[in-house]
């Protein structure tokens, strides 16, 4: 869970974007929009949800393991976590 005010603000901003996309999709379905339009909106909604998941996962990993990696004498924790998040963000797209 995002604990810092900046992390919380970013998560809520992403969530509000998802909410707006879901509402737009609902309106498009009610208006009987073409399938191509619906699929595009669904893909955007899915991407936004993936972005939120990546953001929260990044926060969680840094809060949970960042200090442990530094204490263990590993490379700087930010380098390790940046590499992990780069892989995960690619997977979540």
């Amino acid at each position: 869970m995002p604990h810092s005010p900046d992390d919380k603000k970013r998560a809520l901003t992403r969530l509000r974007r998802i909410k707006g996309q879901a509402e737009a999709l609902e309106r498009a379905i009610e208006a009987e929009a073409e399938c191509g339009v619906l699929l595009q909106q669904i893909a955007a909604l899915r991407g936004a949800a993936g972005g939120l998941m990546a953001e929260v996962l990044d926060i969680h990993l840094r809060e949970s393991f960042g200090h442990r990696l530094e204490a263990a004498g590993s490379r700087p924790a930010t380098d390790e976590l940046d590499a992990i998040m780069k892989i995960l963000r690619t997977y979540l797209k």
Side-chain angles (χ1 to χ4, degrees):
M1 176 178 166
H3 295 289
S4 77
D6 288 340
D7 290 343
K8 186 175 180 179
K9 182 178 179 181
R10 279 195 307 271
L12 287 172
T13 298
R14 284 185 180 273
L15 187 57
R16 288 182 184 115
R17 188 176 304 132
I18 291 168
K19 180 180 175 183
Q21 289 172 328
E23 290 169 351
L25 178 59
E26 181 181 5
R27 287 190 302 273
I29 290 171
E30 288 174 350
E32 298 180 9
E34 296 291 322
C35 288
V37 172
L38 297 178
L39 290 171
Q40 184 177 19
Q41 288 184 331
I42 292 168
L45 184 61
R46 182 175 155 195
L52 176 61
M53 182 179 293
E55 184 81 28
V56 173
L57 184 57
D58 187 346
I59 293 164
H60 175 69
L61 287 175
R62 290 180 194 285
E63 288 177 353
S64 299
F65 301 110
H67 300 293
R68 292 181 197 169
L69 289 172
E70 287 177 2
S74 180
R75 285 189 320 189
T78 55
D79 292 348
E80 292 281 338
L81 292 173
D82 287 346
I84 292 168
M85 282 311 301
K86 183 178 179 183
I87 293 167
L88 290 174
R89 285 182 190 277
T90 300
Y91 174 75
L92 291 172
K93 282 186 179 183

